[in-house]
């Protein structure tokens, strides 16, 4: 295995599934650490040693929702949640708390690998093609693209990987409306499904954070039936 292989923390109490997913992820070139309960998972999640976390919702000692809530107080590592198929409530709560993506159980390893890679790509600056601008600005909002930092009058805006990517799409759209399809494809790395609320939840989180740090100076406007537009005073 290469020294620079991406490190994945898998937190799931289903030992059989964890072993199967871990073996598949390692065959795809990842380095995998598996933890089977929430408290131990929390201790490892805050270590800063992993490039992405795959987190089950139903865990002993500390459930995945609470683990994510505590993790997001200090850490913006990409998190892909595992949720029971059709359990929309848990999916939405996870996204509202800062999860970057989710995969339904029973989990197909190939889909999980694709989601992990998409989130890792979005979390890091691209090394291909023409270099992206080093900085994007709109009024008092400044976004350092390569460093993946958003600042309002020099004060950091703490964003998850998905929120940051959605902010980039909105900034680059300028006065135009960024459609939900575009935000999903370019911000979340996947085509939007009609039942998928991920874009709406991530935009809602972004809106709350921007309005709080800017005291209303930056806001995300909803264009009903179309998408969203960033407004900065």
């Amino acid at each position: 295995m290469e020294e620079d292989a991406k490190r994945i923390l898998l937190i799931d109490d289903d030992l059989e599934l964890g072993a199967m997913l871990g073996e598949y992820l390692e065959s795809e070139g990842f380095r995998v650490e598996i933890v089977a309960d929430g408290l131990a998972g929390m201790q490892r999640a805050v270590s800063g040693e992993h490039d992405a976390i795959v987190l089950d919702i139903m865990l002993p000692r500390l459930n995945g929702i609470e683990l994510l809530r505590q993790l997001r107080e200090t850490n913006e590592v990409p998190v892909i949640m595992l949720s029971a198929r059709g359990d929309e409530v848990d999916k939405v709560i996870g996204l509202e708390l800062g999860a970057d993506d989710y995969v339904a159980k029973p989990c197909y390893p190939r889909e999980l690998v694709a989601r992990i890679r998409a989130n890792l790509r979005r979390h890091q600056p691209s090394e291909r093609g023409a270099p992206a601008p080093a900085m994007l600005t709109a009024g008092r909002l400044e976004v350092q693209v390569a460093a993946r930092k958003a600042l309002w009058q020099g004060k950091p805006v703490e964003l998850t990987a998905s929120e940051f990517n959605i902010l980039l799409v909105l900034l680059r759209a300028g006065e135009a409306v960024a459609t939900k399809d575009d935000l999903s494809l370019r911000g979340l790395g996947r085509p939007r499904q009609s039942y998928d609320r991920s874009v709406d939840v991530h935009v809602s989180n972004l809106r709350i954070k921007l309005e709080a740090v800017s005291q209303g100076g930056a806001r995300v406007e909803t264009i009903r039936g179309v998408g969203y537009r960033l407004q900065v005073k």
Side-chain angles (χ1 to χ4, degrees), residues 213-231:
V213 75
S214 70
Q215 297 183 335
R219 57 187 294 268
V220 181
E221 178 187 10
T222 299
I223 309 300
R224 190 173 299 277
V226 182
Y228 301 94
R229 177 167 52 209
L230 182 66
Q231 295 186 330

Side-chain angles (χ1 to χ4, degrees), residues 137-153:
T137 59
R140 291 169 284 176
L141 178 65
E142 173 186 307
V143 175
Q144 300 173 6
V145 179
R148 296 188 64 82
K149 292 182 179 179
L151 306 169
W152 178 264
Q153 291 185 304

Side-chain angles (χ1 to χ4, degrees), residues 38-176:
L39 283 180
M42 185 67 196
Q43 293 173 352
R44 296 301 298 136
V46 298
S47 68
E49 298 177 7
H50 306 93
D51 297 292
I53 296 173
V54 178
L55 175 63
D56 188 25
I57 290 178
M58 300 301 295
L59 293 169
R61 299 212 290 169
L62 183 69
N63 68 53
I65 294 294
E66 179 60 20
L67 191 159
L68 177 64
R69 186 191 67 77
Q70 294 182 27
L71 177 66
R72 281 299 182 239
E73 293 177 357
T74 59
N75 197 303
E76 300 302 332
V77 62
V79 174
I80 298 94
M81 298 203 77
L82 300 179
S83 64
R85 187 176 300 277
D87 197 342
E88 296 299 325
V89 174
D90 282 344
K91 291 176 183 178
V92 171
I93 291 174
L95 291 170
E96 288 176 340
L97 290 174
D100 295 280
D101 208 344
Y102 61 82
V103 175
K105 294 174 108 175
C107 179
Y108 296 98
R110 183 175 295 179
E111 179 185 3
L112 179 60
V113 167
R115 295 293 182 92
I116 290 173
R117 285 179 171 153
N119 278 278
L120 289 172
R121 284 195 300 271
R122 294 198 305 273
H123 197 62
Q124 297 177 345
S126 175
E127 297 179 355
R128 298 183 179 181
M135 185 181 301
L136 296 173
T137 59
R140 291 169 284 176
L141 178 65
E142 173 186 307
V143 175
Q144 300 173 6
V145 179
R148 296 188 64 82
K149 292 182 179 179
L151 306 169
W152 178 264
Q153 291 185 304
K155 182 178 180 181
V157 186
E158 301 297 337
L159 302 175
T160 67
S162 294
E163 292 161 6
F164 184 87
N165 289 322
I166 284 175
L167 176 59
L168 285 181
V169 177
L170 290 169
L171 269 171
R172 287 167 175 159
E175 292 297 317

Side-chain angles (χ1 to χ4, degrees), residues 19-30 32 109-111 113:
M20 184 268 289
L21 291 177
E23 182 177 347
Y24 190 88
L25 289 170
E26 288 182 346
S27 73
E28 291 291 320
F30 295 103
V32 182
R110 183 175 295 179
E111 179 185 3
V113 167

